[in-house]
Amino acid sequence: MLLACCHLKPALPQKIFCRLWAVMGKLQSKLRHSGYKYSRPDGLIEERVQTKASREYSPAHVDTVSVVATLNSDLCVSGGKDKTAVAYNWTTGHVVKRFRGHEREITKIACIPKSNQFFSASRDKTVMMWDLQASSQPRQRLSGHAMVVTGLAVSPDSSQLCTGSRDNSLLLWDVGTGRCVERASVSRNLVTHLCWVPREPYVLQSSEDKTIRLWDSRGLQMAHVFPTKRHIQTHCEVSVDGHTCISCSSGFGGEGCEATLWDLRQTRDRICEYKGHFQTVASCVFLPKSMALPPMIATSAHDSTVKIWNQDTGACLFTLSLDGSGPLTSLAVGDITSLLCASFYRGIHLLSMDYSRGLELKEVAAF
């Protein structure tokens, strides 16, 4: 059944709310989930599920969290308006390490596979490389963009880093030397996200010009442009097998606000659309496959909801409302049953997928 969101409650000013969240975590943690009826604009009455955290976790940030990424099976890395990257053990609820060096908000995080290293991008126009096992100082500082860096993607062999910016450019870096080896620029191509196609030399890119582009890292040449959408493409993600990708659309009042599944291997056509959010869809992920369930994807949006979709049919399988969290900014897969969701006002939410009764998504903690 397709579930929809309700109107958000008025929120406190952002910085005040975040400070209150850091101080009142224990009170927040005692609230349980509940359900209620929602009257959709089309007249249908549907049941929604809203939850509050049940575990007491230490807060990772004191301001809006812009991005969260998984470093390994226990650790995630996040960044936001407090200019700090935080490595966090989401299984125990404790900060492992804080990394400071950026002068403005952190916009993106990209982890190097099978390592303790990651990259952060920022509104200060730089990218920094960090090592969990080394000091809190960056191992590398990469400067080359003229505006905020809005895309980061590490190659499958970890030897290259691709960065994108609102300056319309993509840069390709040698990770070992920290040198920029290729540069490409397309007029009005304001980059919103980058991801590397597994086992391939291709980089997928979403843009404010409403397009999805595929780049060949060998010379950083444009390999394909997907059909233009009607709204800004805010995010993109590639499946583990590299056969398909998802992109997300901006929008408001249900206009736009969708995710789109594309074929990457053969026709490169649109396969399916996922409609049901009422504000900009900010993030999307492919969920780990379950033997008992069809392939699924998850989306998070500015309407404070996380939705689980049947990848093949486009049907919405479950909607979780994180009321009071404001816009949801980023999603990451923790493990086969866990999702991490970053938000404006309530930090990062740890969500659990319960398959015992088909599918249920619930909030376990927030930090």
Side-chain angles (χ1 to χ4, degrees):
M1 175 168 49
L2 185 63
L3 303 175
C5 72
C6 66
H7 295 291
L8 296 177
K9 298 177 181 179
L12 291 172
Q14 182 175 316
K15 290 186 177 180
I16 296 176
F17 196 105
C18 290
R19 290 194 185 102
L20 286 173
W21 166 244
V23 173
M24 300 177 65
K26 292 186 178 180
L27 292 177
Q28 294 269 2
S29 69
K30 295 179 181 178
L31 299 176
R32 298 180 179 179
H33 69 274
S34 61
Y36 60 92
K37 300 293 184 180
Y38 168 69
S39 180
R40 283 176 35 164
D42 58 13
L44 295 177
I45 304 297
E46 296 176 341
E47 185 176 357
R48 294 188 60 199
V49 175
Q50 60 177 5
T51 69
K52 299 295 182 182
S54 58
R55 293 185 191 170
E56 298 181 7
Y57 276 11
S58 302
H61 297 273
V62 295
D63 210 329
T64 292
V65 183
S66 304
V67 59
V68 61
T70 305
L71 185 62
N72 57 43
S73 60
D74 297 321
L75 303 182
C76 65
V77 182
S78 57
K81 287 193 174 180
D82 61 7
K83 312 171 193 175
T84 304
V86 179
Y88 197 97
N89 188 319
W90 54 269
T91 64
T92 64
H94 293 96
V95 172
V96 176
K97 198 169 188 176
R98 298 185 187 274
F99 302 86
R100 295 180 175 89
H102 284 295
E103 297 177 358
R104 298 188 65 187
E105 175 187 356
I106 292 175
T107 55
K108 300 289 180 179
I109 298 283
C111 298
I112 299 179
K114 300 178 181 179
S115 80
N116 291 307
Q117 300 174 334
F118 65 93
F119 292 94
S120 61
S122 171
R123 289 188 177 276
D124 64 13
K125 310 173 190 176
T126 69
V127 173
M128 296 186 183
M129 180 182 181
W130 311 88
D131 191 330
L132 187 62
Q133 302 302 322
S135 71
S136 297
Q137 298 301 310
R139 292 191 60 180
Q140 292 179 350
R141 296 174 186 263
L142 309 179
S143 299
H145 287 289
M147 297 183 71
V148 51
V149 183
T150 49
L152 285 179
V154 180
S155 65
D157 65 0
S158 306
S159 66
Q160 293 180 309
L161 173 73
C162 189
T163 63
S165 168
R166 286 180 60 85
D167 64 8
N168 305 323
S169 72
L170 273 72
L171 304 181
L172 191 67
W173 306 81
D174 183 300
V175 171
T177 64
R179 291 180 56 251
C180 179
V181 294
E182 298 286 355
R183 179 187 292 265
S185 183
V186 176
S187 177
R188 291 182 287 186
N189 180 32
L190 282 73
V191 177
T192 58
H193 196 73
L194 294 173
C195 52
W196 211 293
V197 180
R199 299 174 296 280
E200 298 285 352
Y202 298 108
V203 179
L204 191 71
Q205 179 235 317
S206 54
S207 173
E208 286 193 20
D209 69 1
K210 308 175 185 178
T211 62
I212 303 294
R213 293 179 172 86
L214 192 65
W215 295 85
D216 190 333
S217 63
R218 298 166 295 189
L220 206 54
Q221 301 293 316
M222 198 185 309
H224 183 73
V225 180
F226 291 85
T228 303
K229 298 282 290 178
R230 295 181 61 187
H231 296 81
I232 289 171
Q233 297 301 283
T234 59
H235 189 87
C236 58
E237 186 78 11
V238 180
S239 61
V240 174
D241 61 15
H243 295 175
T244 56
C245 65
I246 326 169
S247 66
C248 301
S249 291
S250 66
F252 187 77
E255 179 67 26
C257 313
E258 78 270 7
T260 305
L261 183 70
W262 305 89
D263 175 51
L264 268 180
R265 302 281 288 188
Q266 298 175 350
T267 65
R268 291 182 175 169
D269 288 338
R270 183 178 64 187
I271 299 173
C272 189
E273 286 203 328
Y274 311 92
K275 293 178 175 288
H277 285 291
F278 279 80
Q279 294 185 40
T280 291
V281 181
S283 188
C284 51
V285 293
F286 289 90
L287 296 181
K289 291 186 177 179
S290 168
M291 295 293 291
L293 293 169
M296 296 179 292
I297 68 168
T299 56
S300 65
H302 288 184
D303 59 17
S304 299
T305 64
V306 178
K307 290 180 179 286
I308 306 294
W309 310 84
N310 183 313
Q311 180 180 314
D312 297 331
T313 67
C316 183
L317 304 176
F318 200 88
T319 296
L320 177 66
S321 173
L322 297 172
D323 293 341
S325 298
L328 306 181
T329 54
S330 179
L331 274 179
V333 175
D335 57 27
I336 193 169
T337 61
S338 301
L339 276 175
L340 300 164
C341 180
S343 71
F344 257 55
Y345 300 135
R346 290 186 55 224
I348 301 167
H349 303 266
L350 173 58
L351 310 178
S352 174
M353 295 175 284
D354 184 356
Y355 299 126
S356 62
R357 292 178 293 177
L359 173 66
E360 183 181 1
L361 184 66
K362 56 187 177 182
E363 182 182 7
V364 176
F367 54 91

